[in-house]
Amino acid sequence: MSRIPKYMMVIEKIKEWIVNGDVKPGEKIHSENELAKMFDVSRHTIRQAVGELVHQGLLYREQGAGTFCSSPMPVNQGQGKSQSNLQPTQNHGKNIAIITTYISDYIFPSIIRGIESYLSSKGYSLTISSTDNDLEKEKKCLEAMMSRNIDGFIIEPTKSSGYNPNLHYYLELERKKIPYLMINQYYSQLNPPYMMINDEKGGYLATDHLLSLGHEKVVGIFKTDDMQGICRMKGFIDAFRDHQVPFINDTIISYSTEDLHEGLTDKIKKLVANRDNIPTGIVCYNDEVALMAINILREHGLNVPNDISVVGYDDSTLAIASEVKITTVTHPKMQLGLDAAKWIVNAVENGGKSGENSILYEPELIKRNSTKKLKKHVMQE
């Protein structure tokens, strides 16, 4: 049975307060100290939870005043599984569906806000559903959406690194000339239009940063059931090639969606258990994994960055949620959502053809205080 991280339990409880009306729009929530005592967790955990809720748009901060509730939340949005209409469908011929892996987690709220802001300005309604990165749920989402009056689809693929048994649904959309756009990754078997970041370059930038700081014993942690993870891993390997650093058998730790919490936690703990063989740097699949690694390192008495440097990916709010601000790689988030909305509207209004090209965004490295030069490297310079 997987263990739910403490910050996630805090998030779900605060969401419950918002749904039930225990905290009303514009009302101030408890202070960090009060919440820490209430949930019997550290202030670090509270900052992490509140930062994510701010990122999701459910809370907002006012300088010197505190943190406040933004707006009521639909019950099903907090669950991240059910369909959620952001706007009632009023205009026939102006209905867009978005199928994403998750709704209320991580960077997805920012992407969805970018999509919704443009669609609403053009009089389009938006229906959202979530697959939880599960292929059977993707099938159900596609069937449900295709039975409705949907004019275009924005889709984040589910487990995109392997064969997808739902490809025939996308081919049916093509046959019916219903446009669809894939975001963050795509199904290579379809060669569809897409908008995503250059993840291979991003993985390279993250790894090159550590190797350039004199780290030679660098471990990469990558999710391997989606294309993003595979591409980031490729960039990781290429950086080792260019720096001519030995690549040993245990240089990469891989995990799948189902392993994220308990399975991956055990692998990271095993990594740091042998003090004679601990890496000096870790490149992580994303900021969520980076923060998980930092917490585990702290539990084992290791300091970031003095003992181990850590790099994340996506430049999410989690990267600045704790006292250790994480060096990370950028993700366009809101801009991707905005561009995706413009693309799909253009396609719908031009008979199924957008005329716009796919977009591959260029990543950048954001340096913060989770990485540092090795002392021996400083002495050599």
Side-chain angles (χ1 to χ4, degrees):
M1 185 175 183
S2 63
R3 297 182 291 271
I4 300 175
K6 290 180 179 179
Y7 83 95
M8 287 298 299
M9 292 190 285
V10 175
I11 286 173
E12 291 307 314
K13 188 62 180 178
I14 295 177
K15 282 182 177 179
E16 185 181 311
W17 292 346
I18 297 171
V19 169
N20 295 339
D22 297 327
V23 182
K24 296 177 176 56
E27 192 170 285
K28 184 177 179 180
I29 67 167
H30 298 287
S31 68
E32 283 186 4
N33 284 333
E34 290 170 335
L35 289 170
K37 290 178 182 177
M38 191 179 301
F39 291 105
D40 192 25
V41 296
S42 67
R43 288 186 63 187
H44 163 74
T45 298
I46 296 299
R47 281 194 295 270
Q48 188 176 348
V50 170
E52 179 58 23
L53 288 167
V54 169
H55 179 63
Q56 293 179 23
L58 300 177
L59 300 177
Y60 65 92
R61 294 189 176 102
E62 284 191 4
Q63 190 73 26
T67 305
F68 300 80
C69 176
S70 297
S71 60
M73 182 179 70
V75 175
N76 59 356
Q77 185 178 341
Q79 296 167 346
K81 297 179 181 179
S82 306
Q83 293 180 10
S84 171
N85 289 331
L86 295 187
Q87 289 180 264
T89 302
Q90 296 174 338
N91 301 312
H92 294 293
K94 285 199 166 189
N95 308 316
I96 302 299
I98 177 168
I99 298 176
T100 184
T101 52
Y102 304 100
I103 291 177
S104 59
D105 292 339
Y106 200 49
I107 64 171
F108 302 103
S110 291
I111 295 173
I112 292 171
R113 281 198 294 273
I115 294 171
E116 197 271 341
S117 64
Y118 184 79
L119 291 182
S120 61
S121 73
K122 296 296 181 180
Y124 281 74
S125 63
L126 174 63
T127 302
I128 304 175
S129 63
S130 165
T131 69
D132 289 338
N133 212 30
D134 179 272
L135 290 169
E136 183 59 29
K137 289 182 180 178
E138 182 194 47
K139 174 185 175 182
K140 292 178 179 177
C141 286
L142 286 166
E143 289 176 342
M145 292 293 191
M146 291 173 74
S147 68
R148 304 176 63 176
N149 183 33
I150 299 296
D151 301 283
F153 287 76
I154 298 173
I155 297 161
E156 182 182 44
T158 293
K159 295 189 175 178
S160 57
S161 65
Y163 172 72
N164 186 300
N166 300 322
L167 294 182
H168 62 285
Y169 291 105
Y170 298 102
L171 293 173
E172 182 65 11
L173 289 175
E174 292 176 15
R175 191 185 69 81
K176 292 182 176 180
K177 293 183 170 45
I178 299 175
Y180 68 89
L181 172 72
M182 293 194 170
I183 59 173
N184 285 333
Q185 47 200 311
Y186 63 90
Y187 296 130
S188 58
Q189 301 94 335
L190 292 173
N191 195 27
Y194 61 82
M195 291 184 181
M196 58 184 283
I197 194 164
N198 187 339
D199 282 304
E200 191 167 333
K201 182 176 179 180
Y204 184 94
L205 290 174
T207 312
D208 175 72
H209 173 62
L210 289 182
L211 297 177
S212 297
L213 290 175
H215 297 268
E216 293 189 351
K217 193 165 185 183
V218 177
V219 167
I221 303 176
F222 298 103
K223 190 178 180 194
T224 53
D225 58 2
D226 69 39
M227 183 189 288
Q228 287 175 299
I230 297 298
C231 289
R232 293 172 191 182
M233 186 193 300
K234 285 181 180 178
F236 176 84
I237 294 170
D238 282 346
F240 271 77
R241 281 199 186 107
D242 287 353
H243 283 265
Q244 298 184 8
V245 172
F247 196 91
I248 56 179
N249 187 46
D250 57 355
T251 299
I252 290 177
I253 295 174
S254 65
Y255 73 98
S256 64
T257 299
E258 292 75 19
D259 294 332
L260 175 58
H261 297 301
E262 187 169 10
L264 181 56
T265 296
D266 290 342
K267 289 181 180 180
I268 297 173
K269 287 180 178 179
K270 184 178 179 181
L271 176 69
V272 299
N274 182 1
R275 290 303 177 97
D276 296 327
N277 198 37
I278 293 178
T280 63
I282 303 176
V283 174
C284 297
Y285 166 74
N286 63 14
D287 294 336
E288 182 179 11
V289 172
L291 191 56
M292 179 191 300
I294 289 171
N295 289 337
I296 292 172
L297 294 174
R298 184 187 292 112
E299 291 170 3
H300 284 74
L302 294 167
N303 178 270
V304 175
N306 292 327
D307 297 315
I308 301 180
S309 290
V310 176
V311 183
Y313 201 115
D314 291 330
D315 194 24
S316 70
T317 54
L318 295 182
I320 54 173
S322 68
E323 61 272 20
V324 177
K325 310 307 177 189
I326 300 172
T327 296
T328 187
V329 176
T330 57
H331 186 290
K333 297 185 277 292
M334 282 281 289
Q335 187 61 49
L336 183 149
L338 183 63
D339 290 340
K342 290 179 179 178
W343 190 99
I344 202 69
V345 166
N346 193 27
V348 169
E349 295 182 355
N350 285 280
K353 294 184 179 181
S354 171
E356 300 290 335
N357 295 324
S358 297
I359 297 178
L360 187 66
Y361 299 92
E362 290 301 308
E364 296 179 6
L365 184 74
I366 305 297
K367 297 177 184 179
R368 297 194 177 101
N369 63 3
S370 67
T371 57
K372 65 178 292 187
K373 285 186 179 181
L374 288 184
K375 289 182 179 179
K376 65 176 182 179
H377 192 65
V378 174
M379 291 173 63
Q380 290 172 355
E381 293 185 335

